[in-house]
Amino acid sequence: MFLRVSLYISSVIFLLGLIYKVAGWFRYRIGIGAGEILTSTRIFSAIKGILSTLFSAKILTLLKVLVLDVLLQIRILREDFLRWVMHIFIYGGFMLLLLMHALDKTITVALWKNYYPTVNPFIFLRDLFGAMVLVGVLIAIYRRFILKVPRMFSNAMDIYAILIVAIVMFSGIFLEATKMVAYSDYKRMVDEYSGLSDPQELKSLEAYWVKEFGVVSPNLKGPFDEALLQKGMELNQSSCESCHARPQWAFVGYGAAKIIHPAGLGIDRARLPSVFWYIHVLACLVGLAYLPFSKMFHIFASPVSLLADGAVGKEKLTPANRATLQAMELDACTHCGTCSLRCSVIMAFEEIANRNIFPSEKIASLQALASGKKLSPQELRHIQEGVYLCSNCYRCTVVCPAGINLQDLWFSVRETLLQKGYPEVLVLSPLSFYRGLMKEETVPRDYEKPLIQAREAIAARCDLMKRKDKVLPLTSTNRQLQSGLNLSAQAKTFSACFGCQTCTNVCPVVGNYENPQEALGLLPHQIMHAAGLGLRDLAFGSNMLWDCLTCYQCQEQCPQGVHVTDVLYELKNLAVKRVMEETLQPVERK
Ligand code: SF4
Ligand code: SF4
Ligand code: SF4
Ligand code: SF4
């Protein structure tokens, strides 16, 4: 009764959780323009996409993905053999245990009409599958806590996942082991199934089970008479063997029973088999009920993501399906850290200790963002910086074993965050190159907005920009101000500038405007001059600084050997640093 009620409750929670999570794929809005697409449109579009895939040649691609990527997990094998063994053992062992052991009355009985859990091959297979999961869990613990795979972070969900599987497995093993040594369980089996009542026969059978199968009896202790054992063996063959194979076949439980054998009588008195039964069943039910809300949900989401990735291929998705796929991909992440191992910009973490630079951590933060959780400006800032410090190199997408199109995800989230109105000065850097390439993917009216915001953030910190009239009288070189620029030795060559304007004349950006001064503010030679005067605020606020293509033409042509491009580049870095330090909250450095 207890079991049935608990099972119903956890199954209902599991199903409701499943519905809630899948509904989230159609509700969460992270992609560009996703906020404007109705949930019903997304559902309709997804159904249409699925049907058109199923009734086309793409079904063959799906079958290939199903076998290679979902069942054999080839993507993981390509990256790391040990991790593949771990995954196959946990995933394969757990699924087989679920189907053949936990659901035996539904599935196994239907497939094998002579099924009985204590006969072969079932007694052996149950332990074989259990051993697989156990080995997988031990490898997981070894990789995470002993080997300490670089760039692999452990969060509360990772610990929970390992813990719940470990509790289920170890309680199962000790349940089996304590039952093997407990006299009460032996007695119950004999009373219920053997049909024996003669005291001498019962004694022979008991002696045989004590000697051969490790039962700890309060009545009998070896060594036993050979004739008694011979009789016990015959009785075992005639009365027990048809429904109970030798316990040695359950090799994991039997191994544990050997270890706990000396405490057998105490184990029976304390009714530890019942205790382990409750722990095992409750852990399974808690695991089942919490599954949709935990990292384990990837058991469902990852295969769906892999299949979707296979079906989509290089095809351009409709905005509705793209939004749905990206929401689903967030659930598919297993937090395995493979992407972080391959990420091209991880060295930035040495300088800016923001965990969101790591793709695996970025995606964990995005899950909170997508679910609508209210994040502080500081948290948003961390995510924004993390997604912007990405070179869109595609390496994470190629290796992700869950088939997540990370590159596209970063782009979508980047745009969504930029449109939230939080200034991002990195948008003025070469890191914006990919954004420029993807200009057509953005909403046209929104493309310029982040640029304007970033420039305003810079200008807001440059007092001289607001007091241009005060600039003109400052004509003599001020060495103190110059040294305050903190430029490198080569960039300091600006002091050799004599204002010939060659740099400005050869600049392709300047040449692009009819009235360059109006569009760009200070021109290259004027920036060199401003630097000479130590007026960095004036230089920082100049659009020229941010529009420079770094083509080096000015530097090559300068008759004075001024490193014009280097000066511009370093001034730009100084401006960003200053705005980051003064306007925006600095990212935690731990
Ligand atoms: S995004 Fe992919 S590679 Fe990265 S942690 Fe998640 S599942 Fe692993
Ligand atoms: S696309 Fe971005 S997050 Fe992915 S590996 Fe490259 S730099 Fe790292
Ligand atoms: S070309 Fe050289 S010397 Fe002439 S204005 Fe430019 S930086 Fe100065
Ligand atoms: S490096 Fe910049 S400032 Fe110099 S010529 Fe090229 S675009 Fe103009």
Side-chain angles (χ1 to χ4, degrees), residues 161-190:
I162 292 180
L163 213 61
I164 194 77
V165 176
I167 293 174
V168 168
M169 294 319 300
F170 280 107
S171 58
I173 291 166
F174 281 102
L175 168 60
E176 193 170 50
T178 49
K179 278 172 84 172
M180 282 181 194
V181 296
Y183 182 72
S184 309
D185 284 84
Y186 162 76
K187 190 80 178 50
R188 183 187 49 77
M189 275 195 300
V190 172

Side-chain angles (χ1 to χ4, degrees), residues 507-509 524 544 548-554 565 568:
C507 175
V509 176
M544 181 69 232
C548 170
L549 301 168
T550 335
C551 71
Y552 280 89
Q553 292 205 43
C554 51
T565 317
L568 297 180

Side-chain angles (χ1 to χ4, degrees), residues 496-504 524-525 528 554 557-562 564:
C497 170
F498 62 4
C500 70
Q501 298 195 27
T502 305
C503 48
T504 297
H525 75 282
M528 295 307 111
C554 51
Q557 303 291 330
C558 175
Q560 287 292 91
V562 177
V564 186

